[in-house]
Amino acid sequence: MRAVDIIAHKRDGGALDRDAIAAFVEGAARGTWPDYQLAALLMAIVLRGMDAEETWALTEAMRDSGDRVDLSDVAGTTVGKHSTGGVGDKVSIIAAPLAAACGVVVPKMSGRGLGHTGGTLDKLESIPGFRIHLDVAEFKAILRDVGTCIIGQTASLAPADKALYALRDVTATTESLPLVASSVMSKKLAEGSSALVLDVKCGDGALVRERPVARRLAQTMVDIGRRAGVRTEALVTAMDAPLGRAVGNALEVAECLDVLEGGGPADVRDVAARVAGRMLVLGGVASGDAAAAEQVARVLASGAARERLARMVERQGGDPRVLDDRSRLPRAPSVQVLPAPHDGFVTATQARPIGRATVALGAGRAEAGDRIDHAVGVVLQARVGDRVSRGQPLVELHHREGRGLDEALALCRQACAIGGVPPPPGPLLLDEVR
Amino acid sequence: MRAVDIIAHKRDGGALDRDAIAAFVEGAARGTWPDYQLAALLMAIVLRGMDAEETWALTEAMRDSGDRVDLSDVAGTTVGKHSTGGVGDKVSIIAAPLAAACGVVVPKMSGRGLGHTGGTLDKLESIPGFRIHLDVAEFKAILRDVGTCIIGQTASLAPADKALYALRDVTATTESLPLVASSVMSKKLAEGSSALVLDVKCGDGALVRERPVARRLAQTMVDIGRRAGVRTEALVTAMDAPLGRAVGNALEVAECLDVLEGGGPADVRDVAARVAGRMLVLGGVASGDAAAAEQVARVLASGAARERLARMVERQGGDPRVLDDRSRLPRAPSVQVLPAPHDGFVTATQARPIGRATVALGAGRAEAGDRIDHAVGVVLQARVGDRVSRGQPLVELHHREGRGLDEALALCRQACAIGGVPPPPGPLLLDEVR
């Protein structure tokens, strides 16, 4: 079957069969299809869609385009966790050690930040010495000893997805439900966990803004997981404002430590506890939400979760003294404050411009391969619903010698709205697919 | 404006402004956009469309991406002619000398055959010695002396269209009304005629099968021509069956000579006379259809049109003895006959499979750059509406040592249908845009 015939079939709204999808995925993984044919088919998929059968076939073919991690020789129930990405989303760094401290094994392969969203790997690398490139043997050894380990995806994992992901980024073909779902799930299934909790972010700072679309994305990924024999659930959580106060790599690690020490912002605590709770239920160590919540609260209070993170950091080469002495984290030399322009209530702190502000300061990447500054970022001093007086700090901008400061200030100004009445509190958990 | 933002805008159904279209066309002409971004935007255009303003801007930008032919120093009114392509469509080789003999100047840049359709250049090259690569000075000299000249498009003519056309062919993005219209018209406008008659083919063997779509394509091209200040009209003519009996390069040249000598199939004569007639009206040498028809008939009968072709062939290096001695045209060594399987009336001789049969025999190209055999092809011995007896020849296949013969026979068998009653005669002229 010629590439051009496969493209024409999707262009005309047809469903691709397994052979056509296999040819496409092999074309991407081995470079036997030129990029322009891949790009044409990607755009046709964005505009014509894919049904459940096609999406599953695409996921399976991408999963099988490279190595799969075999975790059968790691004792215990392995439960993965994945977020579709947001601003200030530091949940993995809390939920992974938390669930591990409760008795499930949490193997986690993460990505880097791109665009306005951050990445777990970048955040962890703000801990001096932390290594994210481990081979599978070391990954499994740490999982056996500590119960959790967070590394970067190996190059041999779903190479077809890697090729297509890079192409999607430069051809405006990222925003497609079947392409997003199959991209995420091909990697997650190749990682070898026996269960999986997905956190689908929804709102201004997320890939998906509309709740029904987020619900469909969640359902699609859950369906794929189940077809693959992996117990999969999804939460849909709010991403109109950043999660927590801190956005920026080292600043977010510090906020994670706050939560693991029993403090931190309520929204971060809440999402981390819900995600960890479902991991416990899927992992078979809690009978339901109530039991899981109780166990999570106990393990947080006892310091056992923080202790797990400390052990993981140490085993992955990070400086464990960071946990007791935050000043060992990279710290930006200067802080500029954005003051409230008038009295009122904060009605919005939009996630997307705030994410872009941190990128401008150097905390993120405009393009893959850009170097980042782990120290810089922003801290929200006032959050949605807070009463503020004129001149009171709204946002702290942690910058290095003014780099990107003007742009970041303008973006933060654009992100923050102050009105005469407090907005009604919005829910954090928007939906669930169990 | 970044390429990815332009692609995203069209993906979401937006209209592209002149700056965006200029960036795209320059990206194609100069290679500053990678092919995968061009391909993604092409597919988005195929599926989202373009409005009249965008289509005009695209045409203008492609026209201006290279040289434009200046015909102001050629005396007389220049009238171009273009067909969207079909099977057995040899009209240009008749209409150009015919109109020239009536007093308009007919400069014509043609294309080669690709896929199941033939190309005027390939047909003319079956005349031994015929040169299609002339520079503009020689082209104009022949126009001045003979009144018509048919050559290949120069490399510097609409280079953006050349780049996009090649890419469209391999990315299943050929079938798009704005892309077809802007591709055709960018070249025709760069060729510099002051008026233009378009023959939009419609049916099984054409790019467009549905009459309303053909009408829209015709109207779109006419609108573009008029915006550019070129008097433009279009005929929509039937292409369900091949035009005439002969399909294949030298076989078609022989049929053209039949028509120019007052014979030949009625459908070829009719379309050529209608096209030439409108060329005379647009060129100002006939007052209307009736006067034009009368003039065309007179010039055909007098042999003046044949005489023009003879002079053009000679000036372009072709052997003029071909006109008096058809045996000097390439001739296939063998002929196989497909007999009628039973008595009845021919109800169909589908153009597309017959076109594909001639490609199988070697008369056309599966890919640009393939060599072709000018001698081979098919001749329809029975046409739609004819009564046939079992065993009577339906199709003659002119082949070289059996090359492609089995495939061609199967395709011809598939193309020909014989039923119990004669089909109602279908019109040849389906529509007109004046």
Side-chain angles (χ1 to χ4, degrees):
Chain A
M1 200 181 226
R2 296 187 313 152
V4 69
D5 297 327
I6 294 171
I7 300 168
H9 191 62
K10 179 48 71 185
R11 175 199 68 200
D12 297 340
L16 301 180
D17 63 19
R18 297 186 75 83
D19 287 348
I21 286 171
F24 167 52
V25 169
E26 190 180 307
R30 301 200 186 178
T32 51
W33 278 34
D35 280 349
Y36 51 81
Q37 290 184 322
L38 297 172
L41 183 51
L42 286 169
M43 183 59 82
I45 291 171
V46 168
L47 292 175
R48 290 298 201 173
M50 275 187 150
D51 65 23
E53 202 60 45
E54 292 174 280
T55 308
W56 163 239
L58 178 58
T59 308
E60 206 182 12
M62 293 203 295
R63 177 194 68 187
D64 295 342
S65 68
D67 294 340
R68 294 176 63 176
V69 180
D70 177 6
L71 294 174
S72 63
D73 53 353
V74 174
T77 308
T78 51
V79 185
K81 181 261 168 189
H82 180 78
S83 158
T84 58
V87 177
D89 180 8
K90 52 202 64 92
V91 169
S92 292
I93 300 171
I94 302 163
L98 183 51
C102 294
V104 297
V105 178
V106 186
K108 176 136 183 58
M109 292 191 182
S110 290
R112 296 200 177 275
L114 189 61
H116 70 279
T117 64
T120 299
L121 297 182
D122 296 326
K123 295 169 195 178
L124 287 171
E125 282 187 330
S126 67
I127 300 170
F130 195 94
R131 294 178 302 127
I132 58 131
H133 297 299
L134 310 185
D135 63 23
V136 171
E138 188 175 4
F139 180 55
K140 294 207 276 192
I142 297 175
L143 285 177
R144 285 189 196 98
D145 297 347
V146 182
T148 187
C149 183
I150 304 179
I151 63 171
Q153 278 144 9
T154 60
S156 60
L157 196 94
D161 174 69
K162 280 192 183 63
L164 291 176
Y165 192 90
L167 199 54
R168 285 167 57 207
D169 194 48
V170 291
T171 54
T173 52
T174 49
E175 288 165 41
S176 152
L177 197 148
L179 292 178
V180 169
S182 59
S183 173
V184 166
M185 293 303 291
S186 66
K187 289 177 287 199
K188 292 298 127 187
L189 296 178
E191 287 172 23
S193 290
S194 53
L196 182 59
V197 175
L198 301 165
D199 181 7
V200 176
K201 298 294 186 190
C202 177
D204 175 68
L207 189 65
V208 176
R209 289 169 197 247
E210 301 82 19
R211 223 186 275 195
V213 180
R215 164 92 201 181
R216 280 211 308 281
L217 176 60
Q219 184 71 58
T220 302
M221 293 196 291
V222 166
D223 291 345
I224 291 170
R226 288 175 186 172
R227 276 184 98 137
V230 171
R231 293 189 300 285
T232 305
E233 288 187 3
L235 311 176
V236 178
T237 63
M239 186 36 72
D240 282 316
L243 193 67
R245 294 180 178 273
V247 186
N249 301 290
L251 294 166
E252 293 191 45
V253 168
E255 193 169 82
C256 290
L257 294 175
D258 291 342
V259 172
L260 289 168
E261 289 166 4
D267 57 344
V268 182
R269 277 204 315 270
D270 187 11
V271 174
R274 280 178 192 274
V275 167
R278 292 313 302 171
M279 293 171 77
L280 300 194
V281 174
L282 285 188
V285 303
S287 55
D289 284 339
E294 198 250 328
Q295 203 174 343
V296 160
R298 199 172 59 234
V299 164
L300 267 181
S302 76
R306 181 180 182 282
E307 159 69 10
R308 288 287 167 146
L309 181 65
R311 283 166 61 194
M312 186 191 91
V313 167
E314 186 162 17
R315 286 293 293 273
Q316 296 195 236
D319 183 350
R321 293 173 300 176
V322 158
L323 277 82
D324 297 310
D325 179 4
R326 310 274 171 91
S327 72
R328 290 181 180 273
L329 283 169
R331 186 186 293 232
S334 315
V335 176
Q336 166 96 29
V337 165
L338 174 71
H342 53 82
D343 294 358
F345 293 92
V346 177
T347 55
T349 55
Q350 283 184 285
R352 191 170 292 254
I354 287 177
R356 290 174 57 208
T358 62
V359 173
L361 294 172
R365 295 177 182 83
E367 290 183 26
D370 286 356
R371 286 190 141 264
I372 63 169
D373 186 335
H374 290 100
V376 300
V378 306
V379 177
L380 304 181
Q381 292 295 350
R383 305 188 69 201
V384 172
D386 286 355
R387 172 164 224 148
V388 291
S389 314
R390 180 165 181 275
Q392 187 181 327
L394 285 179
V395 183
E396 271 178 20
L397 296 96
H398 294 239
H399 65 95
R400 193 177 300 278
E401 291 159 12
R403 182 191 155 185
L405 186 59
D406 288 345
E407 187 185 349
L409 272 167
L411 284 161
C412 287
R413 230 176 251 123
Q414 172 196 329
C416 297
I418 294 171
V421 288
L428 207 53
L429 179 68
L430 304 177
D431 211 334
E432 277 186 284
V433 179
R434 289 194 181 176
Chain B
M1 202 181 227
R2 296 187 313 152
V4 68
D5 297 328
I6 294 172
I7 301 167
H9 191 62
K10 179 49 70 183
R11 175 199 69 200
D12 296 340
L16 301 181
D17 62 20
R18 297 186 76 83
D19 287 348
I21 286 171
F24 167 53
V25 169
E26 189 181 307
R30 303 200 185 179
T32 51
W33 278 35
D35 280 349
Y36 50 81
Q37 290 184 323
L38 297 172
L41 183 51
L42 287 168
M43 183 58 82
I45 291 170
V46 168
L47 292 175
R48 290 299 199 173
M50 275 187 151
D51 64 25
E53 202 59 46
E54 292 173 280
T55 308
W56 163 240
L58 178 57
T59 308
E60 208 182 12
M62 293 202 298
R63 177 194 68 185
D64 296 341
S65 69
D67 294 340
R68 294 175 65 174
V69 180
D70 177 6
L71 294 174
S72 62
D73 52 353
V74 174
T77 307
T78 51
V79 184
K81 181 262 168 190
H82 179 79
S83 157
T84 58
V87 177
D89 180 9
K90 52 201 65 91
V91 169
S92 292
I93 299 171
I94 302 162
L98 184 51
C102 295
V104 299
V105 177
V106 186
K108 176 138 181 60
M109 292 192 181
S110 288
R112 296 199 177 276
L114 189 62
H116 69 280
T117 63
T120 298
L121 297 182
D122 295 326
K123 294 170 196 178
L124 287 172
E125 282 187 331
S126 68
I127 300 171
F130 195 94
R131 294 177 302 127
I132 57 133
H133 297 299
L134 310 186
D135 63 23
V136 171
E138 189 176 4
F139 180 56
K140 293 207 278 190
I142 298 175
L143 285 177
R144 285 191 196 98
D145 297 346
V146 183
T148 186
C149 182
I150 305 179
I151 63 171
Q153 278 142 10
T154 59
S156 60
L157 196 94
D161 175 69
K162 279 192 184 64
L164 291 176
Y165 192 90
L167 198 55
R168 284 166 57 206
D169 194 50
V170 290
T171 54
T173 51
T174 48
E175 289 164 42
S176 152
L177 198 147
L179 292 179
V180 169
S182 58
S183 173
V184 167
M185 293 304 291
S186 65
K187 289 177 289 200
K188 292 299 126 188
L189 296 178
E191 287 172 23
S193 290
S194 53
L196 182 60
V197 175
L198 301 165
D199 182 8
V200 176
K201 297 293 186 192
C202 177
D204 176 66
L207 188 67
V208 175
R209 288 167 197 251
E210 301 83 17
R211 223 187 274 195
V213 180
R215 163 93 202 178
R216 278 211 308 280
L217 176 59
Q219 185 70 59
T220 302
M221 292 196 292
V222 167
D223 290 345
I224 291 171
R226 289 177 184 171
R227 274 184 99 138
V230 172
R231 294 189 301 283
T232 307
E233 288 187 3
L235 312 176
V236 178
T237 62
M239 186 36 71
D240 282 317
L243 193 68
R245 294 180 180 274
V247 187
N249 301 290
L251 294 166
E252 293 192 44
V253 167
E255 194 169 81
C256 290
L257 295 175
D258 292 343
V259 173
L260 288 169
E261 289 165 5
D267 57 343
V268 182
R269 277 204 314 272
D270 188 11
V271 173
R274 281 178 190 275
V275 167
R278 292 315 300 173
M279 292 170 78
L280 300 194
V281 175
L282 285 188
V285 304
S287 55
D289 283 340
E294 198 251 326
Q295 202 174 344
V296 159
R298 198 171 59 234
V299 162
L300 267 182
S302 75
R306 181 179 182 282
E307 159 69 10
R308 289 287 167 146
L309 181 65
R311 284 166 59 197
M312 185 190 91
V313 166
E314 187 162 17
R315 286 292 294 271
Q316 294 193 239
D319 183 350
R321 294 173 300 176
V322 158
L323 277 81
D324 297 310
D325 179 3
R326 310 275 171 91
S327 73
R328 291 181 181 274
L329 283 170
R331 188 185 292 232
S334 315
V335 176
Q336 166 96 30
V337 164
L338 176 70
H342 52 80
D343 295 357
F345 293 91
V346 177
T347 55
T349 55
Q350 282 184 286
R352 191 170 293 255
I354 286 177
R356 289 174 56 207
T358 62
V359 173
L361 294 172
R365 293 178 183 83
E367 289 183 28
D370 285 357
R371 285 187 143 267
I372 63 170
D373 186 335
H374 290 100
V376 300
V378 307
V379 177
L380 304 181
Q381 292 295 351
R383 305 188 67 201
V384 172
D386 287 354
R387 171 165 226 147
V388 292
S389 312
R390 181 165 181 274
Q392 187 182 326
L394 285 179
V395 182
E396 272 178 19
L397 295 97
H398 295 239
H399 63 95
R400 193 178 297 280
E401 290 159 13
R403 181 190 155 185
L405 185 59
D406 289 345
E407 186 184 349
L409 273 167
L411 284 161
C412 288
R413 229 174 253 123
Q414 172 195 327
C416 297
I418 294 171
V421 288
L428 207 53
L429 179 67
L430 304 177
D431 209 335
E432 277 187 285
V433 179
R434 289 194 181 175

